[in-house]
Amino acid sequence: MTSPQSDEPAAKPVIVSVDDDPAVSRAVVRDIRRRYGQHYRVVRAEAAEQALDALREMALRGQQVAVLIADYRMPGMDGIAYLEQAMDLFPHARRVLLTAYADTNAAIDAINVVDLDHYLLKPWDPPEEKLYPVLDTLLEAWQLADRRPVEETKVVGHRWSAASARVRDFLARNQLPYRWYLADEPEGARLLAAADADPDHCPVVITAGGTTLIEPSDAELAGEVGLHTTPAENFYDLIVIGGGPAGLGAAVYGASEGLRTVLVERTATGGQAGQSSRIENYLGFPDGVSGSQLADRARRQATKFGAELITTREAVELAVNGSARTVRFADGGQIDGHAVILATGVNYRRHPAPGIDDFTGRGVHYGAALSEAAHCVDDDVYVVGGANSAGQAAVYLARQARSVTILVRAKSLDESMSHYLIEQIRQIPNITVRTCVEVVGAIGDDHLRQIVVRDRVGGDEETIDTQWLFLFIGAAPSTDWLDGVVFRDEHGFVLAGPDLLVDGTPPAGWQLSRLPHHLETSVPGVFVAGDVRADSAKRVASAVGEGAMAVMLVHRYLARP
């Protein structure tokens, strides 16, 4: 594989072209340099991965990329998949797909998948008629766009610090750029000295504005890095609690239909789905979409329609005050509204094995913890769980790790994982699936060193060397704060609609003449959507659909309480 080729000064904005056909690749770059070489640096690559490596280097150096041009048919990674990954690095760059006539349908699909700006049919001769007018328009749009470089937050901490892992995960899940420095390495030590910070009190966060935070809480961090943490009003038409797919769906539909809508999220929008490396069975994304991309698009869509998004506020109480519904927060604040949608999702269940809690954040991670994936290079990684979230994490981690082993209590993955994902795992050589096993212990010093695995059939135990354990062991709703107000099942999931009825009779305390609406809880005007609802489908698509449906029912409630 050749290196990306460029002979232009690095200070210019960049146009990147990738095509696996050397002749086509050279022709594209020749024509682009002839017209734009004076003002733009032109980079040529002959493979998608090669181009992505070059883009990552440009991102690290703070360079600006104006246009991404990719051939559709490339081995290993096609042009759509490449552009989708590239847009995570340079979201403001304009995107062009080169296609043959037979691939025009794929190009049209790419408009939805990667927000494609244009597709060009090959050959594009003469460029004066078919290439330059397109690039002129795209470059003009890029120049007019707000593309000011985002200054990075600096995080200094210790490699196996749970607090440092929490800060990195918080920033990553909120899609806030940061640079990580080890406290015991020269640059990290220099930053600590400049901030007059003690290495024993890490993590230390230095914001882009120069503010130093010592061991910050999520709320302190959010307030300094530009996240909204305080509602602008005291009263809303609709309060959405939880920022996963269901909550984001409700916020989009609520705000777009004219309701004064606020979404309150405890940590980061996206929920568990937002931590997924790749969701491939979501309607409209045939090549898959990362959870962070989906969450970011939904977040931007909600704010475009006027929804308020509030982070790092934890709801701890729900109360009925006449026609108003009151949500109180852990910090003592509160907001009121006509209606509430509960979309708090679920958390991964805590693993009961001895030692697990001791190494959480220090080699043991609940969920994907994608911020840690880059540190797993050439290591042996273990993933516990048999559902889609575990499979998606294994596929993602396998790109960096030497090996990934999925540990499953059941006899096979077929019981809980989608068929497409099982087939995908079978085709990845460094992923192994071990069935009928469970983790019964974790051993280490300052971080995880070994796990103990038991065969559930024979009872034999095995001690395995590893520094990485990712846990996906089932769902537990965080609904204790609703105790005594909203009816829940024996597992804590919220009951709604028909599930509240006993022999067709509404629940005790229901004072309205009508029956509860389909997603309405035992409290009129309080609705539930997504994974936190009893007997929900536990899928992204159904959660988004329920969020939208809940808004429709809110309108019905507001019209006739």
Side-chain angles (χ1 to χ4, degrees):
M1 179 183 294
T2 59
S3 299
Q5 297 179 16
S6 170
D7 52 12
E8 303 296 334
K12 297 179 181 179
V14 184
I15 298 173
V16 179
S17 173
V18 55
D19 195 307
D20 65 303
D21 185 327
V24 174
S25 179
R26 285 192 294 269
V28 173
V29 170
R30 177 199 64 213
D31 288 342
I32 294 175
R33 282 184 178 148
R34 183 189 305 161
R35 174 86 167 214
Y36 307 101
Q38 182 177 355
H39 301 291
Y40 293 88
R41 176 181 171 225
V42 183
V43 171
R44 176 172 69 88
E46 295 179 5
E49 287 290 355
Q50 177 192 13
L52 288 171
D53 288 341
L55 289 171
R56 294 185 187 103
E57 184 66 25
M58 294 176 205
L60 287 175
R61 296 187 178 191
Q63 295 174 316
Q64 298 186 75
V65 174
V67 178
L68 299 162
I69 302 173
D71 183 49
Y72 172 61
R73 289 186 179 270
M74 293 188 292
M77 181 187 300
D78 66 30
I80 296 175
Y82 157 73
L83 289 173
E84 188 175 9
Q85 293 194 36
M87 67 188 288
D88 281 341
L89 297 168
F90 292 96
H92 301 296
R94 304 296 161 168
R95 293 170 284 279
V96 179
L97 195 67
L98 298 178
T99 69
Y101 181 78
D103 297 323
T104 52
N105 286 337
I108 293 170
D109 289 341
I111 293 172
N112 291 324
V113 177
V114 294
D115 297 331
L116 190 68
D117 293 293
H118 203 91
Y119 68 90
L120 287 172
L121 291 176
K122 298 187 291 185
W124 58 87
D125 289 333
E128 289 78 10
E129 294 181 11
K130 297 184 178 180
L131 177 64
Y132 297 154
V134 171
L135 291 183
D136 286 346
T137 300
L138 295 180
L139 289 170
E140 181 181 0
W142 178 80
Q143 290 167 351
L144 293 175
D146 183 5
R147 48 183 170 77
R148 290 168 292 181
V150 179
E151 296 181 337
E152 291 180 324
T153 294
K154 299 177 179 65
V155 181
V156 186
H158 299 290
R159 177 69 192 86
W160 297 107
S161 161
S164 295
R166 178 187 57 78
V167 165
R168 294 200 307 271
D169 189 57
F170 177 83
L171 292 172
R173 290 183 62 187
N174 282 285
Q175 298 190 345
L176 297 167
Y178 72 93
R179 189 73 63 87
W180 164 244
Y181 300 90
L182 289 171
D184 55 0
E185 292 187 349
E187 184 60 18
R190 185 192 70 78
L191 288 170
L192 289 176
D196 193 24
D198 189 336
D200 292 334
H201 293 88
C202 285
V204 172
V205 177
I206 304 169
T207 69
T211 302
T212 299
L213 304 173
I214 309 296
E215 299 178 301
S217 66
D218 287 353
E220 291 170 334
L221 190 54
E224 290 293 339
V225 296
L227 295 177
H228 294 287
T229 60
T230 304
E233 302 181 31
N234 294 323
F235 197 95
Y236 295 85
D237 295 322
L238 174 61
I239 302 170
V240 181
I241 307 297
L248 287 168
V252 167
Y253 280 91
S256 68
E257 295 176 8
L259 297 177
R260 289 174 298 163
T261 302
V262 62
L263 182 150
V264 181
E265 166 56 41
R266 183 177 57 183
T267 304
T269 52
Q272 286 188 3
Q275 296 177 278
S276 174
S277 59
R278 178 70 54 183
I279 302 168
E280 297 195 57
N281 59 349
Y282 188 66
L283 183 67
F285 293 88
D287 293 286
V289 61
S290 73
S292 61
Q293 287 174 341
L294 189 62
D296 179 61
R297 294 180 187 186
R299 180 170 53 243
R300 287 189 282 115
Q301 197 172 13
T303 55
K304 180 185 78 170
F305 287 122
E308 250 186 85
L309 270 59
I310 307 300
T311 56
T312 65
R313 300 295 289 271
E314 182 179 5
V316 295
E317 185 180 349
L318 174 67
V320 177
N321 292 311
S323 62
R325 304 293 177 261
T326 300
V327 176
R328 297 190 175 95
F329 303 126
D331 61 3
Q334 70 176 50
I335 52 176
D336 297 276
H338 288 302
V340 174
I341 295 178
L342 304 172
T344 51
V346 293
N347 297 320
Y348 291 110
R349 294 189 186 278
R350 309 302 294 182
H351 201 294
I356 293 292
D357 287 345
D358 297 334
F359 299 110
T360 299
R362 297 188 293 137
V364 174
H365 300 277
Y366 286 90
L370 299 183
S371 58
E372 299 299 313
H375 304 296
C376 299
V377 176
D378 297 329
D379 284 347
D380 298 314
V381 174
Y382 287 79
V383 174
V384 178
N388 280 7
S389 54
Q392 290 160 352
V395 170
Y396 182 78
L397 292 165
R399 300 176 187 174
Q400 307 261 11
R402 176 169 55 195
S403 72
V404 176
T405 303
I406 303 176
L407 305 176
V408 188
R409 288 168 54 91
K411 295 180 180 179
S412 74
L413 294 174
D414 297 329
E415 298 179 20
S416 54
M417 190 176 293
S418 294
H419 177 73
Y420 83 88
L421 195 51
I422 296 173
E423 292 301 312
Q424 189 175 356
I425 288 170
R426 285 174 179 162
Q427 296 173 18
I428 300 176
N430 62 331
I431 296 183
T432 301
V433 179
R434 293 185 57 180
T435 58
C436 298
V437 294
E438 60 185 346
V439 174
V440 295
I443 303 169
D445 37 46
D446 64 329
H447 68 280
L448 180 70
R449 297 284 188 179
Q450 297 175 315
I451 58 173
V452 182
V453 176
R454 175 190 296 154
D455 186 314
R456 302 187 72 221
V457 177
D460 296 335
E461 293 188 359
E462 175 186 3
T463 300
I464 301 171
D465 293 336
T466 184
Q467 299 181 104
W468 301 103
L469 182 67
F470 294 88
L471 301 171
F472 303 82
I473 55 171
S478 298
T479 56
D480 289 346
W481 64 285
L482 299 171
D483 191 27
V485 180
V486 171
F487 285 19
R488 299 170 294 150
D489 68 10
E490 65 272 19
H491 303 293
F493 292 94
V494 176
L495 297 168
D499 293 334
L500 289 167
L501 306 181
V502 179
D503 296 328
T505 303
W510 184 264
Q511 298 179 354
L512 303 181
S513 58
R514 64 169 176 84
L515 295 177
H517 295 307
H518 183 67
L519 296 176
E520 194 169 22
T521 70
S522 56
V523 177
V526 176
F527 299 81
V528 62
D531 290 0
V532 72
R533 183 177 66 83
D535 296 324
S536 63
K538 307 295 188 292
R539 288 291 186 269
V540 175
S542 61
V544 173
E546 288 189 8
M549 181 185 291
V551 171
M552 178 192 73
L553 298 174
V554 165
H555 278 292
R556 189 176 299 175
Y557 167 78
L558 294 177
R560 297 183 61 184

